[in-house]
Amino acid sequence: MKQWLKNWKLKAIGLFTSLVLTSWGFTAHRDLHSVAISGLPKEVWFYFKHNETALVELSVAADRRKHTDTIEAQRHYIDLDLDSSGTLPLSICDRYNLLSYLFYKCDSVESEYIIKVAADLGHYIGDAHVPLHTTSNYNGQFSDQTGIHSLWETHVYELTKADRIPRKIRTHYIDDIRRFANSIISSSNTKVEEVLKKEIEVRSRKGAPGKWGYRTRGRTMDLIPTRGFCLEYSDSLNGMVQRRFYQSADAIASAWYSAWVDGGSP
């Protein structure tokens, strides 16, 4: 391959992955919020189900704010290998406490605001379940694996969601939101090495499918990971993406329910 073409391709890959580093991807965040509602106790299920359309749409608002709010990006991650750069656990706690307060004051608060805060809380909890949101090597840029962020949380998810095995969402009361958030993040961080290692293993296999190719997404043709590579990578992770999805849904439902209880169960 001519050097100028190789350089262009690498730049295109870098540009594309920088555009899709949106934590789980829009599709997954919307799915997470919808699935999480199904696990709520009936006392609060009716409220969230009635507002499902707005909640699902607002589930990606936090990512969109990154383009206009200079401090929004840091709310979505915490680099545990860099003296905890990023404010993800604080973001979860702040939104949880605010949601509890809004439920307490629900008679004088617009329902739209409650749903917006609930959506943000769900978004940050979803991000906390993504291993690459807990490390400075969030996109494989330090290990010659640029693009792995969207590979794990967007492309693998979208290609395997149809085969996802449904399960009941497990909701419980959270008695310490800070400890809860830190536990999620710690669990995610233990999986960083596997996420990175398996990508290298799949890419290095004899006869492995090409990693990058063009695929139609909507009305455009994009340079993204190939279907074959995504599926082999997913298999090598032995269902990790699916497990983290459902664990995210469990945690989101539990946080919504607990904030409602702490707010006086209005």
Side-chain angles (χ1 to χ4, degrees):
M1 181 184 293
K2 291 184 177 180
Q3 188 61 39
W4 70 268
L5 183 56
K6 180 179 180 181
N7 291 339
W8 173 86
K9 186 174 182 180
L10 290 173
K11 288 180 180 179
I13 292 171
L15 174 61
F16 176 75
T17 54
S18 70
L19 291 174
V20 296
L21 292 185
T22 53
S23 55
W24 268 118
F26 279 17
T27 299
H29 272 300
R30 291 184 174 115
D31 291 349
L32 274 172
H33 282 60
S34 184
V35 171
I37 293 174
S38 69
L40 292 170
K42 64 180 181 180
E43 295 86 356
V44 69
W45 176 86
F46 289 103
Y47 175 75
F48 279 88
K49 188 63 177 177
H50 177 73
N51 291 282
E52 181 174 5
T53 299
L55 184 69
V56 169
E57 179 58 31
L58 288 168
S59 67
V60 296
D63 274 335
R64 288 175 170 151
R65 286 199 302 270
K66 292 178 185 177
H67 302 291
T68 57
D69 186 340
T70 57
I71 65 172
E72 178 62 40
Q74 68 188 34
R75 297 177 179 137
H76 297 246
Y77 69 89
I78 181 166
D79 295 337
L80 296 182
D81 56 333
L82 283 183
D83 195 25
S84 299
S85 172
T87 62
L88 180 54
L90 180 61
S91 301
I92 293 172
C93 294
D94 284 349
R95 282 298 183 268
Y96 178 90
N97 291 330
L98 178 55
L99 183 60
S100 298
Y101 176 77
L102 294 176
F103 276 130
Y104 178 70
K105 292 287 190 180
C106 64
D107 288 340
S108 58
V109 176
E110 293 290 336
S111 180
E112 289 82 359
Y113 187 38
I114 294 176
I115 293 301
K116 178 181 180 299
V117 173
D120 281 352
L121 174 60
H123 186 105
Y124 296 138
I125 289 175
D127 284 357
H129 283 81
V130 177
L132 294 174
H133 278 260
T134 70
T135 175
S136 60
N137 192 24
Y138 63 92
N139 195 30
Q141 71 274 24
F142 301 140
S143 53
D144 194 27
Q145 294 174 278
T146 300
I148 194 171
H149 196 112
S150 61
L151 170 66
W152 189 98
E153 67 179 25
T154 299
H155 302 297
V156 167
Y157 173 78
E158 291 182 357
L159 283 174
T160 61
K161 64 174 289 188
D163 300 320
R164 192 171 66 225
I165 301 173
R167 78 156 171 81
K168 183 178 180 179
I169 301 305
R170 309 180 185 110
T171 305
H172 69 279
Y173 176 74
I174 301 166
D175 58 8
D176 187 330
I177 188 61
R178 184 174 296 276
R179 184 172 61 198
F180 182 71
N182 287 335
S183 175
I184 294 171
I185 290 167
S186 177
S187 174
S188 289
N189 190 250
T190 64
K191 297 168 177 57
V192 171
E193 182 177 357
E194 182 180 3
V195 168
L196 296 171
K197 180 181 178 181
K198 292 299 183 182
E199 190 275 338
I200 292 174
E201 288 180 359
V202 172
R203 181 159 40 96
S204 302
R205 287 176 190 163
K206 184 178 180 179
K211 182 174 181 180
W212 297 99
Y214 289 95
R215 192 193 319 162
T216 300
R217 289 169 62 87
R219 294 182 295 175
T220 62
M221 185 78 76
D222 293 323
L223 181 64
I224 56 180
T226 64
R227 177 183 178 85
F229 189 88
C230 288
L231 293 178
E232 283 204 25
Y233 180 55
S234 177
D235 288 344
S236 75
L237 293 172
N238 194 29
M240 181 196 291
V241 174
Q242 181 177 131
R243 286 194 302 275
R244 294 310 278 175
F245 175 87
Y246 278 121
Q247 288 162 2
S248 296
D250 290 341
I252 292 168
S254 296
W256 288 342
Y257 167 67
S258 302
W260 176 78
V261 171
D262 289 352
S265 306

